[in-house]
Amino acid sequence: MPEVTAFMSGWFGGHLAVAVFIGGVWTVTVLSPGPNLLATLHATARGGARAGVTTAAGIGLGTAIWSGLSLAGLAVLFETVTWAYTAVKLAGAAYLIVIGLKLLLQRNAGAAPLHPAQAAPVPGGLRRAFFFGLAADLANPKAAAFFASLFAVSVPAGAPLAFQAGICALVVVIAAGWYALAALIFARPRVAAAYARARRWIERVTGALFIAAGLRLATDRS
């Protein structure tokens, strides 16, 4: 019994508090609009709720990769080998800019469905949506630095591997859950109908925001 009491005390007095802190900080971060939200809404507009939720799953995998690599010391590697970080950063920025340019320059407005709720599934559509979400998330290597900073001030040294895995699972669930919820809301008939009426302008603004995000990433010196 003393061993059980000590274990419970350790979790609820330490590990649980760390998990709540990380979950809270990450939730606030995820709720802030950014490329991942743009990717989710764009996929939903093109392929419906299923495509949006699948994109959210891809973002979740990207979050798992960045958070896991951060715990493994990727941020330290980026700080040591600066050219590697610069290369990844520029590649991600180029990807975001290309997406933005495609949205701005596309002329076949009729290619999109009337609105997300009426989108018909297409071959490979969900697979493309998944990798679109994954690529959008991996395009920002600053996520590694963010997770490294967050984990450095919260995860105790020598924390059990199971606890670290649980932290990674927590941030993945928060990210994928929020973006999936955003996709489901955006696909609702009223919201989708409003999107359909202003689709051309919304896609132009979305393209401009993707380009702005890419340029900001490329020129960021942190």
Side-chain angles (χ1 to χ4, degrees):
M1 290 300 293
E3 292 79 3
V4 175
T5 301
F7 175 80
M8 295 294 288
S9 176
W11 262 98
F12 289 95
H15 290 164
L16 182 60
V18 170
V20 170
F21 173 76
I22 291 176
V25 172
W26 179 235
T27 297
V28 173
T29 303
V30 168
L31 291 178
S32 302
N36 286 344
L37 182 60
L38 292 176
T40 301
L41 299 185
H42 177 66
T44 305
R46 290 290 177 173
R50 290 181 63 192
V53 172
T54 304
T55 299
I59 293 172
L61 176 58
T63 301
I65 292 173
W66 282 132
S67 60
L69 290 178
S70 296
L71 284 171
L74 178 65
V76 176
L77 174 63
F78 276 162
E79 291 179 1
T80 304
V81 187
T82 55
W83 65 263
Y85 173 78
T86 301
V88 174
K89 182 180 71 170
L90 292 179
Y95 176 77
L96 295 176
I97 291 173
V98 168
I99 293 176
L101 289 174
K102 286 183 177 180
L103 286 172
L104 284 178
L105 300 178
Q106 65 181 355
R107 295 184 178 182
N108 187 12
L114 178 60
H115 57 65
Q118 296 180 346
V122 295
L126 295 182
R127 182 170 61 252
R128 285 197 298 269
F130 179 84
F131 284 107
F132 178 51
L134 174 61
D137 191 80
L138 293 181
N140 185 10
K142 291 181 67 177
F146 172 81
F147 280 124
S149 299
L150 178 60
F151 295 157
V153 300
S154 56
V155 177
L161 182 60
F163 174 69
Q164 297 185 44
I167 290 299
C168 288
L170 175 64
V171 296
V172 168
V173 169
I174 291 173
W178 162 242
Y179 294 121
L181 177 61
L184 294 175
I185 293 174
F186 191 65
R188 291 179 64 85
R190 289 186 178 180
V191 179
Y195 165 82
R197 290 193 294 269
R199 178 171 52 80
R200 287 189 63 186
W201 287 106
I202 291 175
E203 291 195 346
R204 288 176 180 177
V205 172
T206 302
L209 291 175
F210 266 116
I211 293 173
L215 292 174
R216 180 179 179 181
L217 178 61
T219 57
D220 186 84
R221 297 186 179 184
S222 59

